[in-house]
Amino acid sequence: MTGAKLHPKSVDGPEPQGSKTSTEEKASTVEVVPPPEVNEPSPELTPEEAEQARKKYLLKRFWISARRYWGRSGERLAWPCTLGLLALIGINVGFQYGINRWNRAIFDAIERHDAGTVYFLSAVFLPLVLGTVAVVTTQVALRMMIQRRWRSWLTTAVIGRWLANGRYYQLNLIGGDHKNPEARISEDLRIATEAPVDFIAGVISAFLSASTFIIVLWTIGGALTLPIAGLTATIPGFLVVTAVLYAAITSSSMAVIGRHFVQVSETKNQTEAEFRYTLTHVRENGESIALLGGEEEERNDLHKTFAKVLAQWALLARQHMRTTLVSHGSMLIAPVVPVLLCAPKFLEGSMSLGQVMQAASAFAIVQGAFGWLVDNYPRLADWNACARRVASLMMSLDGLERAEQSDALGRIKHGDTQGEAMLSLNDLSVSLDDGTAVVKETRVAIEPGERVLVAGESGSGKSTLVRAIAGLWPWGEGSVDFHPDRRLFMLPQRPYIPSGTLRRAVAYPGAADRWTADQIKAALDKVGLDYLKDRIEEDAPWDQTLSGGEKQRLAFARLLLHTPDIIVLDEATSALDEKSQDRMMQMVIHELPEVTIISVAHRVELEAFHSRKITLERRRGGAKLVSDIDLVPRKRKGNLFSRVLENRRSLQKGGTSSN
């Protein structure tokens, strides 16, 4: 746990004006839909076939969510922008045809030495160019708008699911192909939404261009008659036949040469993500590495990780070399082919120079349309890999979401306490996602104002129990109940320090402007950070600047601002010396005398600040609560564990007297 946690029922007061971000507004428009059904490959498939089926389903899973952008829950501008883009593609093809006709007219005029027509066509050329440029520019702007808005919509939806119900944390606790979710959400999702728009626009443009200029080639070229062994053979539409055959050869060559492109690109993206994660890990743990002198070991680890990246880049480079061989060769040969084919007709006088140039231009456009796959195969492979990585994260989130809606594995319930109890654990068992028990059948009721210390040896499940109380750990049985309308605030061992100003760090998770500067300074003064009061508006890397003890003091300052009803301290004073620890605990008790405290700690000295101690003991079937004692004598109601012990003693006495 890396930050404070407010119970969902908490009411922190009115939100400051303007605090609702555009991201939240967008998230509110995303329709909440149930996850797709599990699609397991048939057990009869071989491992290779099962892997292929899984990859095919990953693409399907990506589109299940991505296509909703154009659905009822999508954005209102999705269809108008899409239809506008399609219209611009059609208009652009019209301008291409106009320039193609202009080519024929200008060269025919040059061949006839018709100066007037040449001057007129020269004047017409400028409007054609300006019109084409305007249409293409608008088309690019609209295409990029669709990409940007689609990415924004889908990213908001994925982040919303990722952050909901602590799933971003739970992903670390379960198995699956969802490593480096931050890279999948930022980089992979960007490519996964940009490329399809380019592909669809390219395919439609290629289809319209090919359809239009095949007619031009058929009309201009006509039939070609060839003498063969004393006979004549006529090939109708010989330019069209040649264009189709040429495109078929180049496209099939690309498909064969680049058949491993998708797999290599996918592996390359994965190694790149792992390298970024390793670099981020070093940066986030820089202090510990520097103190231990672990630079050499980290350097070796980075070199190994980067070597994998370079190896995959080498494989990818070979794939690019092969595809470039086909694409560049095609680019050089394509303009020459129609001229050579039309040369006999031009020389015999059945085709004008303008028709030859029009045919060459049309052939190049048709070849470009047919060769779309040749030019875009590498990018198509890259999109394939990125879409699968995004879909893998979606599927892991699907699994967590289905688990939340199902009782098959067992889920810890959360509700309201009965009576005055602030918190009650009712037959609470905490287990792993595979059903292995960690804590078994814990029953505890904590009254208002109690200060309870949870003790036990390392590995007995204390921190896991805290996560279950916070709602971060969902698997298990029983229930965790809170008093209605009471606020829970958690202080972990490693407090989370957000980026930005010190003021924001102290106010977190509230808004920085919710409290005045004087209130922030007063809180810092009470926790012994008065020397930082003049720096609250300073934007600095406070997570790296503050020591572990200072971070824990800052977390206590948050308590004073948020004034919760229940505080859970998970080793929250472990970085403080004994004297500082005593000051923090005395300050909390003095400033928040009515607050209910639950502490998880190893230090015996903390018993002096608590009224009650419960102990967990690790056992084979899961840790159990073995003792519940009062450190300060007082009358309490609802101590379920004590009542169980008293009932057992009375039964034993009754059995003894009867004997």
Side-chain angles (χ1 to χ4, degrees), residues 36-73:
E37 294 295 327
V38 182
N39 192 319
E40 297 290 345
S42 171
E44 299 178 357
L45 298 177
T46 65
E48 293 77 11
E49 292 172 338
E51 179 63 15
Q52 289 300 319
R54 187 188 74 87
K55 289 182 176 180
K56 185 180 294 185
Y57 177 75
L58 285 175
L59 293 180
K60 178 182 177 182
R61 177 61 190 91
F62 171 78
W63 283 115
I64 287 174
S65 292
R67 69 191 180 196
R68 292 194 182 114
Y69 176 70
W70 286 271
R72 288 183 302 174
S73 61

mmCIF file of all heavy atoms in Angstrom, residues 36-73:
data_model
loop_
_atom_site.group_PDB
_atom_site.id
_atom_site.type_symbol
_atom_site.label_atom_id
_atom_site.label_comp_id
_atom_site.label_asym_id
_atom_site.label_seq_id
_atom_site.Cartn_x
_atom_site.Cartn_y
_atom_site.Cartn_z
ATOM 1 N N PRO A 36 -16.938 -9.322 -21.365
ATOM 2 C CA PRO A 36 -17.324 -10.424 -22.250
ATOM 3 C C PRO A 36 -17.163 -11.769 -21.553
ATOM 4 O O PRO A 36 -16.410 -11.911 -20.579
ATOM 5 C CB PRO A 36 -16.345 -10.299 -23.427
ATOM 6 C CG PRO A 36 -15.784 -8.923 -23.338
ATOM 7 C CD PRO A 36 -15.811 -8.560 -21.889
ATOM 8 N N GLU A 37 -17.878 -12.760 -22.059
ATOM 9 C CA GLU A 37 -17.755 -14.105 -21.515
ATOM 10 C C GLU A 37 -16.359 -14.660 -21.785
ATOM 11 O O GLU A 37 -15.693 -14.291 -22.747
ATOM 12 C CB GLU A 37 -18.803 -15.030 -22.153
ATOM 13 C CG GLU A 37 -20.237 -14.666 -21.800
ATOM 14 C CD GLU A 37 -20.529 -14.827 -20.319
ATOM 15 O OE1 GLU A 37 -19.936 -15.737 -19.694
ATOM 16 O OE2 GLU A 37 -21.321 -14.040 -19.780
ATOM 17 N N VAL A 38 -15.928 -15.551 -20.899
ATOM 18 C CA VAL A 38 -14.618 -16.181 -21.063
ATOM 19 C C VAL A 38 -14.620 -17.040 -22.323
ATOM 20 O O VAL A 38 -15.545 -17.808 -22.555
ATOM 21 C CB VAL A 38 -14.278 -17.051 -19.834
ATOM 22 C CG1 VAL A 38 -12.897 -17.661 -19.993
ATOM 23 C CG2 VAL A 38 -14.329 -16.227 -18.565
ATOM 24 N N ASN A 39 -13.592 -16.881 -23.130
ATOM 25 C CA ASN A 39 -13.481 -17.638 -24.380
ATOM 26 C C ASN A 39 -12.228 -18.501 -24.309
ATOM 27 O O ASN A 39 -11.145 -18.083 -24.694
ATOM 28 C CB ASN A 39 -13.422 -16.676 -25.572
ATOM 29 C CG ASN A 39 -13.603 -17.399 -26.893
ATOM 30 O OD1 ASN A 39 -13.075 -18.478 -27.090
ATOM 31 N ND2 ASN A 39 -14.355 -16.793 -27.801
ATOM 32 N N GLU A 40 -12.378 -19.685 -23.763
ATOM 33 C CA GLU A 40 -11.245 -20.588 -23.616
ATOM 34 C C GLU A 40 -11.049 -21.416 -24.886
ATOM 35 O O GLU A 40 -12.020 -21.878 -25.481
ATOM 36 C CB GLU A 40 -11.460 -21.541 -22.431
ATOM 37 C CG GLU A 40 -11.548 -20.829 -21.081
ATOM 38 C CD GLU A 40 -10.221 -20.259 -20.651
ATOM 39 O OE1 GLU A 40 -9.173 -20.653 -21.243
ATOM 40 O OE2 GLU A 40 -10.202 -19.406 -19.745
ATOM 41 N N PRO A 41 -9.790 -21.614 -25.321
ATOM 42 C CA PRO A 41 -9.551 -22.443 -26.509
ATOM 43 C C PRO A 41 -9.928 -23.893 -26.248
ATOM 44 O O PRO A 41 -9.895 -24.363 -25.108
ATOM 45 C CB PRO A 41 -8.046 -22.287 -26.757
ATOM 46 C CG PRO A 41 -7.485 -21.861 -25.435
ATOM 47 C CD PRO A 41 -8.550 -21.065 -24.766
ATOM 48 N N SER A 42 -10.297 -24.604 -27.286
ATOM 49 C CA SER A 42 -10.699 -26.002 -27.156
ATOM 50 C C SER A 42 -9.531 -26.847 -26.643
ATOM 51 O O SER A 42 -8.388 -26.674 -27.084
ATOM 52 C CB SER A 42 -11.163 -26.533 -28.509
ATOM 53 O OG SER A 42 -11.368 -27.929 -28.451
ATOM 54 N N PRO A 43 -9.792 -27.752 -25.698
ATOM 55 C CA PRO A 43 -8.710 -28.608 -25.186
ATOM 56 C C PRO A 43 -8.150 -29.564 -26.230
ATOM 57 O O PRO A 43 -7.088 -30.144 -26.044
ATOM 58 C CB PRO A 43 -9.391 -29.378 -24.046
ATOM 59 C CG PRO A 43 -10.858 -29.310 -24.337
ATOM 60 C CD PRO A 43 -11.070 -28.005 -25.027
ATOM 61 N N GLU A 44 -8.874 -29.732 -27.345
ATOM 62 C CA GLU A 44 -8.408 -30.621 -28.404
ATOM 63 C C GLU A 44 -7.314 -29.985 -29.261
ATOM 64 O O GLU A 44 -6.657 -30.675 -30.041
ATOM 65 C CB GLU A 44 -9.585 -31.027 -29.287
ATOM 66 C CG GLU A 44 -10.689 -31.788 -28.541
ATOM 67 C CD GLU A 44 -11.858 -32.115 -29.448
ATOM 68 O OE1 GLU A 44 -11.813 -31.687 -30.621
ATOM 69 O OE2 GLU A 44 -12.800 -32.774 -28.984
ATOM 70 N N LEU A 45 -7.120 -28.675 -29.123
ATOM 71 C CA LEU A 45 -6.113 -27.986 -29.930
ATOM 72 C C LEU A 45 -4.708 -28.278 -29.418
ATOM 73 O O LEU A 45 -4.502 -28.501 -28.218
ATOM 74 C CB LEU A 45 -6.364 -26.473 -29.905
ATOM 75 C CG LEU A 45 -7.683 -25.968 -30.479
ATOM 76 C CD1 LEU A 45 -7.790 -24.458 -30.303
ATOM 77 C CD2 LEU A 45 -7.800 -26.327 -31.960
ATOM 78 N N THR A 46 -3.769 -28.272 -30.328
ATOM 79 C CA THR A 46 -2.364 -28.387 -29.932
ATOM 80 C C THR A 46 -1.936 -27.077 -29.278
ATOM 81 O O THR A 46 -2.605 -26.045 -29.437
ATOM 82 C CB THR A 46 -1.482 -28.665 -31.158
ATOM 83 O OG1 THR A 46 -1.551 -27.520 -32.033
ATOM 84 C CG2 THR A 46 -1.948 -29.903 -31.895
ATOM 85 N N PRO A 47 -0.823 -27.059 -28.522
ATOM 86 C CA PRO A 47 -0.366 -25.804 -27.897
ATOM 87 C C PRO A 47 -0.186 -24.676 -28.908
ATOM 88 O O PRO A 47 -0.523 -23.529 -28.616
ATOM 89 C CB PRO A 47 0.969 -26.211 -27.254
ATOM 90 C CG PRO A 47 0.818 -27.674 -26.979
ATOM 91 C CD PRO A 47 -0.006 -28.207 -28.103
ATOM 92 N N GLU A 48 0.337 -25.009 -30.093
ATOM 93 C CA GLU A 48 0.531 -23.974 -31.116
ATOM 94 C C GLU A 48 -0.810 -23.443 -31.607
ATOM 95 O O GLU A 48 -0.994 -22.229 -31.765
ATOM 96 C CB GLU A 48 1.336 -24.531 -32.296
ATOM 97 C CG GLU A 48 2.780 -24.882 -31.970
ATOM 98 C CD GLU A 48 2.900 -26.200 -31.213
ATOM 99 O OE1 GLU A 48 1.885 -26.939 -31.131
ATOM 100 O OE2 GLU A 48 3.994 -26.487 -30.694
ATOM 101 N N GLU A 49 -1.770 -24.348 -31.817
ATOM 102 C CA GLU A 49 -3.087 -23.922 -32.275
ATOM 103 C C GLU A 49 -3.812 -23.122 -31.194
ATOM 104 O O GLU A 49 -4.519 -22.155 -31.492
ATOM 105 C CB GLU A 49 -3.919 -25.142 -32.671
ATOM 106 C CG GLU A 49 -3.410 -25.866 -33.920
ATOM 107 C CD GLU A 49 -4.146 -27.173 -34.167
ATOM 108 O OE1 GLU A 49 -4.722 -27.731 -33.205
ATOM 109 O OE2 GLU A 49 -4.145 -27.636 -35.325
ATOM 110 N N ALA A 50 -3.637 -23.540 -29.942
ATOM 111 C CA ALA A 50 -4.265 -22.810 -28.837
ATOM 112 C C ALA A 50 -3.701 -21.397 -28.725
ATOM 113 O O ALA A 50 -4.441 -20.435 -28.472
ATOM 114 C CB ALA A 50 -4.052 -23.565 -27.524
ATOM 115 N N GLU A 51 -2.393 -21.255 -28.940
ATOM 116 C CA GLU A 51 -1.776 -19.929 -28.889
ATOM 117 C C GLU A 51 -2.284 -19.045 -30.026
ATOM 118 O O GLU A 51 -2.556 -17.855 -29.831
ATOM 119 C CB GLU A 51 -0.251 -20.070 -28.969
ATOM 120 C CG GLU A 51 0.513 -18.758 -28.943
ATOM 121 C CD GLU A 51 0.339 -17.984 -27.663
ATOM 122 O OE1 GLU A 51 -0.135 -18.574 -26.663
ATOM 123 O OE2 GLU A 51 0.666 -16.786 -27.642
ATOM 124 N N GLN A 52 -2.433 -19.615 -31.211
ATOM 125 C CA GLN A 52 -2.971 -18.856 -32.331
ATOM 126 C C GLN A 52 -4.419 -18.441 -32.065
ATOM 127 O O GLN A 52 -4.821 -17.311 -32.390
ATOM 128 C CB GLN A 52 -2.899 -19.691 -33.620
ATOM 129 C CG GLN A 52 -1.498 -19.876 -34.161
ATOM 130 C CD GLN A 52 -0.827 -18.559 -34.501
ATOM 131 O OE1 GLN A 52 -1.448 -17.646 -35.053
ATOM 132 N NE2 GLN A 52 0.451 -18.448 -34.151
ATOM 133 N N ALA A 53 -5.194 -19.347 -31.462
ATOM 134 C CA ALA A 53 -6.581 -19.018 -31.127
ATOM 135 C C ALA A 53 -6.640 -17.902 -30.086
ATOM 136 O O ALA A 53 -7.491 -17.006 -30.156
ATOM 137 C CB ALA A 53 -7.303 -20.262 -30.614
ATOM 138 N N ARG A 54 -5.709 -17.960 -29.128
ATOM 139 C CA ARG A 54 -5.660 -16.910 -28.104
ATOM 140 C C ARG A 54 -5.339 -15.550 -28.721
ATOM 141 O O ARG A 54 -5.967 -14.541 -28.399
ATOM 142 C CB ARG A 54 -4.604 -17.261 -27.048
ATOM 143 C CG ARG A 54 -4.581 -16.322 -25.855
ATOM 144 C CD ARG A 54 -3.387 -16.608 -24.963
ATOM 145 N NE ARG A 54 -2.163 -16.139 -25.571
ATOM 146 C CZ ARG A 54 -1.693 -14.893 -25.445
ATOM 147 N NH1 ARG A 54 -2.368 -13.999 -24.754
ATOM 148 N NH2 ARG A 54 -0.562 -14.546 -26.016
ATOM 149 N N LYS A 55 -4.364 -15.528 -29.636
ATOM 150 C CA LYS A 55 -3.987 -14.260 -30.268
ATOM 151 C C LYS A 55 -5.138 -13.709 -31.110
ATOM 152 O O LYS A 55 -5.373 -12.498 -31.142
ATOM 153 C CB LYS A 55 -2.741 -14.459 -31.127
ATOM 154 C CG LYS A 55 -1.471 -14.687 -30.317
ATOM 155 C CD LYS A 55 -0.264 -14.823 -31.211
ATOM 156 C CE LYS A 55 1.013 -14.955 -30.387
ATOM 157 N NZ LYS A 55 2.222 -15.083 -31.242
ATOM 158 N N LYS A 56 -5.855 -14.619 -31.780
ATOM 159 C CA LYS A 56 -6.996 -14.176 -32.593
ATOM 160 C C LYS A 56 -8.080 -13.589 -31.692
ATOM 161 O O LYS A 56 -8.690 -12.561 -32.022
ATOM 162 C CB LYS A 56 -7.549 -15.351 -33.390
ATOM 163 C CG LYS A 56 -8.667 -14.972 -34.356
ATOM 164 C CD LYS A 56 -9.182 -16.177 -35.123
ATOM 165 C CE LYS A 56 -8.119 -16.738 -36.042
ATOM 166 N NZ LYS A 56 -8.658 -17.850 -36.890
ATOM 167 N N TYR A 57 -8.296 -14.217 -30.543
ATOM 168 C CA TYR A 57 -9.314 -13.694 -29.633
ATOM 169 C C TYR A 57 -8.890 -12.351 -29.037
ATOM 170 O O TYR A 57 -9.736 -11.489 -28.768
ATOM 171 C CB TYR A 57 -9.603 -14.688 -28.503
ATOM 172 C CG TYR A 57 -10.603 -14.130 -27.517
ATOM 173 C CD1 TYR A 57 -11.959 -14.056 -27.841
ATOM 174 C CD2 TYR A 57 -10.193 -13.642 -26.278
ATOM 175 C CE1 TYR A 57 -12.878 -13.515 -26.961
ATOM 176 C CE2 TYR A 57 -11.109 -13.095 -25.383
ATOM 177 C CZ TYR A 57 -12.451 -13.035 -25.737
ATOM 178 O OH TYR A 57 -13.361 -12.492 -24.872
ATOM 179 N N LEU A 58 -7.587 -12.155 -28.825
ATOM 180 C CA LEU A 58 -7.121 -10.884 -28.269
ATOM 181 C C LEU A 58 -7.522 -9.722 -29.178
ATOM 182 O O LEU A 58 -7.943 -8.662 -28.696
ATOM 183 C CB LEU A 58 -5.605 -10.912 -28.079
ATOM 184 C CG LEU A 58 -5.086 -11.727 -26.893
ATOM 185 C CD1 LEU A 58 -3.562 -11.762 -26.890
ATOM 186 C CD2 LEU A 58 -5.597 -11.146 -25.577
ATOM 187 N N LEU A 59 -7.375 -9.902 -30.494
ATOM 188 C CA LEU A 59 -7.796 -8.849 -31.418
ATOM 189 C C LEU A 59 -9.309 -8.630 -31.341
ATOM 190 O O LEU A 59 -9.786 -7.494 -31.374
ATOM 191 C CB LEU A 59 -7.390 -9.206 -32.847
ATOM 192 C CG LEU A 59 -5.886 -9.223 -33.141
ATOM 193 C CD1 LEU A 59 -5.638 -9.582 -34.594
ATOM 194 C CD2 LEU A 59 -5.254 -7.882 -32.812
ATOM 195 N N LYS A 60 -10.053 -9.732 -31.228
ATOM 196 C CA LYS A 60 -11.504 -9.611 -31.093
ATOM 197 C C LYS A 60 -11.858 -8.872 -29.803
ATOM 198 O O LYS A 60 -12.746 -8.007 -29.792
ATOM 199 C CB LYS A 60 -12.144 -11.004 -31.092
ATOM 200 C CG LYS A 60 -13.659 -10.996 -30.912
ATOM 201 C CD LYS A 60 -14.223 -12.402 -30.877
ATOM 202 C CE LYS A 60 -15.727 -12.380 -30.627
ATOM 203 N NZ LYS A 60 -16.283 -13.756 -30.553
ATOM 204 N N ARG A 61 -11.129 -9.191 -28.719
ATOM 205 C CA ARG A 61 -11.401 -8.539 -27.428
ATOM 206 C C ARG A 61 -11.116 -7.041 -27.501
ATOM 207 O O ARG A 61 -11.848 -6.231 -26.920
ATOM 208 C CB ARG A 61 -10.541 -9.181 -26.324
ATOM 209 C CG ARG A 61 -10.690 -8.511 -24.944
ATOM 210 C CD ARG A 61 -12.118 -8.608 -24.454
ATOM 211 N NE ARG A 61 -12.360 -7.802 -23.276
ATOM 212 C CZ ARG A 61 -12.777 -6.530 -23.321
ATOM 213 N NH1 ARG A 61 -12.988 -5.922 -24.481
ATOM 214 N NH2 ARG A 61 -12.998 -5.873 -22.206
ATOM 215 N N PHE A 62 -10.065 -6.663 -28.227
ATOM 216 C CA PHE A 62 -9.769 -5.242 -28.373
ATOM 217 C C PHE A 62 -10.925 -4.529 -29.070
ATOM 218 O O PHE A 62 -11.367 -3.458 -28.631
ATOM 219 C CB PHE A 62 -8.476 -5.045 -29.160
ATOM 220 C CG PHE A 62 -8.202 -3.618 -29.535
ATOM 221 C CD1 PHE A 62 -7.702 -2.729 -28.600
ATOM 222 C CD2 PHE A 62 -8.478 -3.157 -30.819
ATOM 223 C CE1 PHE A 62 -7.468 -1.401 -28.935
ATOM 224 C CE2 PHE A 62 -8.246 -1.834 -31.165
ATOM 225 C CZ PHE A 62 -7.733 -0.959 -30.218
ATOM 226 N N TRP A 63 -11.442 -5.122 -30.149
ATOM 227 C CA TRP A 63 -12.500 -4.465 -30.907
ATOM 228 C C TRP A 63 -13.822 -4.428 -30.151
ATOM 229 O O TRP A 63 -14.643 -3.543 -30.378
ATOM 230 C CB TRP A 63 -12.684 -5.145 -32.254
ATOM 231 C CG TRP A 63 -11.618 -4.779 -33.230
ATOM 232 C CD1 TRP A 63 -10.690 -5.597 -33.780
ATOM 233 C CD2 TRP A 63 -11.355 -3.476 -33.767
ATOM 234 N NE1 TRP A 63 -9.859 -4.897 -34.616
ATOM 235 C CE2 TRP A 63 -10.239 -3.589 -34.636
ATOM 236 C CE3 TRP A 63 -11.944 -2.219 -33.595
ATOM 237 C CZ2 TRP A 63 -9.724 -2.489 -35.311
ATOM 238 C CZ3 TRP A 63 -11.421 -1.133 -34.284
ATOM 239 C CH2 TRP A 63 -10.332 -1.281 -35.122
ATOM 240 N N ILE A 64 -14.042 -5.383 -29.244
ATOM 241 C CA ILE A 64 -15.284 -5.372 -28.461
ATOM 242 C C ILE A 64 -15.419 -4.049 -27.713
ATOM 243 O O ILE A 64 -16.500 -3.451 -27.659
ATOM 244 C CB ILE A 64 -15.316 -6.571 -27.485
ATOM 245 C CG1 ILE A 64 -15.561 -7.870 -28.260
ATOM 246 C CG2 ILE A 64 -16.405 -6.378 -26.422
ATOM 247 C CD1 ILE A 64 -15.465 -9.116 -27.401
ATOM 248 N N SER A 65 -14.313 -3.578 -27.135
ATOM 249 C CA SER A 65 -14.339 -2.307 -26.404
ATOM 250 C C SER A 65 -14.137 -1.113 -27.324
ATOM 251 O O SER A 65 -14.819 -0.094 -27.186
ATOM 252 C CB SER A 65 -13.254 -2.304 -25.316
ATOM 253 O OG SER A 65 -13.551 -3.231 -24.303
ATOM 254 N N ALA A 66 -13.200 -1.240 -28.273
ATOM 255 C CA ALA A 66 -12.835 -0.082 -29.099
ATOM 256 C C ALA A 66 -13.984 0.388 -29.980
ATOM 257 O O ALA A 66 -14.175 1.592 -30.172
ATOM 258 C CB ALA A 66 -11.618 -0.427 -29.948
ATOM 259 N N ARG A 67 -14.785 -0.539 -30.515
ATOM 260 C CA ARG A 67 -15.837 -0.146 -31.456
ATOM 261 C C ARG A 67 -16.999 0.558 -30.760
ATOM 262 O O ARG A 67 -17.843 1.177 -31.429
ATOM 263 C CB ARG A 67 -16.346 -1.373 -32.199
ATOM 264 C CG ARG A 67 -17.135 -2.340 -31.327
ATOM 265 C CD ARG A 67 -17.397 -3.647 -32.033
ATOM 266 N NE ARG A 67 -18.159 -4.573 -31.207
ATOM 267 C CZ ARG A 67 -18.267 -5.877 -31.463
ATOM 268 N NH1 ARG A 67 -17.649 -6.382 -32.520
ATOM 269 N NH2 ARG A 67 -18.984 -6.660 -30.676
ATOM 270 N N ARG A 68 -17.059 0.496 -29.438
ATOM 271 C CA ARG A 68 -18.141 1.185 -28.723
ATOM 272 C C ARG A 68 -18.029 2.696 -28.848
ATOM 273 O O ARG A 68 -18.969 3.422 -28.512
ATOM 274 C CB ARG A 68 -18.134 0.788 -27.238
ATOM 275 C CG ARG A 68 -18.529 -0.659 -26.999
ATOM 276 C CD ARG A 68 -18.848 -0.915 -25.528
ATOM 277 N NE ARG A 68 -19.166 -2.309 -25.317
ATOM 278 C CZ ARG A 68 -18.431 -3.149 -24.609
ATOM 279 N NH1 ARG A 68 -17.322 -2.729 -24.028
ATOM 280 N NH2 ARG A 68 -18.790 -4.405 -24.463
ATOM 281 N N TYR A 69 -16.886 3.168 -29.314
ATOM 282 C CA TYR A 69 -16.730 4.606 -29.563
ATOM 283 C C TYR A 69 -17.769 5.090 -30.560
ATOM 284 O O TYR A 69 -18.210 6.240 -30.505
ATOM 285 C CB TYR A 69 -15.311 4.879 -30.073
ATOM 286 C CG TYR A 69 -15.048 6.313 -30.464
ATOM 287 C CD1 TYR A 69 -14.972 7.308 -29.495
ATOM 288 C CD2 TYR A 69 -14.875 6.672 -31.799
ATOM 289 C CE1 TYR A 69 -14.730 8.629 -29.844
ATOM 290 C CE2 TYR A 69 -14.627 7.984 -32.161
ATOM 291 C CZ TYR A 69 -14.555 8.957 -31.182
ATOM 292 O OH TYR A 69 -14.312 10.259 -31.531
ATOM 293 N N TRP A 70 -18.165 4.216 -31.484
ATOM 294 C CA TRP A 70 -19.176 4.557 -32.486
ATOM 295 C C TRP A 70 -20.560 4.053 -32.096
ATOM 296 O O TRP A 70 -21.472 4.069 -32.911
ATOM 297 C CB TRP A 70 -18.786 3.981 -33.847
ATOM 298 C CG TRP A 70 -17.660 4.730 -34.487
ATOM 299 C CD1 TRP A 70 -17.758 5.815 -35.307
ATOM 300 C CD2 TRP A 70 -16.269 4.454 -34.372
ATOM 301 N NE1 TRP A 70 -16.513 6.229 -35.693
ATOM 302 C CE2 TRP A 70 -15.576 5.408 -35.146
ATOM 303 C CE3 TRP A 70 -15.520 3.489 -33.685
ATOM 304 C CZ2 TRP A 70 -14.193 5.430 -35.243
ATOM 305 C CZ3 TRP A 70 -14.138 3.506 -33.777
ATOM 306 C CH2 TRP A 70 -13.483 4.477 -34.552
ATOM 307 N N GLY A 71 -20.708 3.609 -30.854
ATOM 308 C CA GLY A 71 -21.993 3.106 -30.394
ATOM 309 C C GLY A 71 -22.745 4.136 -29.574
ATOM 310 O O GLY A 71 -22.393 5.319 -29.514
ATOM 311 N N ARG A 72 -23.796 3.681 -28.905
ATOM 312 C CA ARG A 72 -24.625 4.585 -28.117
ATOM 313 C C ARG A 72 -23.859 5.201 -26.958
ATOM 314 O O ARG A 72 -24.147 6.323 -26.541
ATOM 315 C CB ARG A 72 -25.845 3.827 -27.577
ATOM 316 C CG ARG A 72 -26.886 3.486 -28.629
ATOM 317 C CD ARG A 72 -28.078 2.814 -28.011
ATOM 318 N NE ARG A 72 -27.699 1.581 -27.302
ATOM 319 C CZ ARG A 72 -28.526 0.853 -26.568
ATOM 320 N NH1 ARG A 72 -29.782 1.243 -26.420
ATOM 321 N NH2 ARG A 72 -28.107 -0.251 -25.990
ATOM 322 N N SER A 73 -22.890 4.458 -26.420
ATOM 323 C CA SER A 73 -22.118 4.973 -25.297
ATOM 324 C C SER A 73 -20.885 5.743 -25.741
ATOM 325 O O SER A 73 -20.102 6.197 -24.918
ATOM 326 C CB SER A 73 -21.675 3.810 -24.396
ATOM 327 O OG SER A 73 -20.857 2.906 -25.131
#
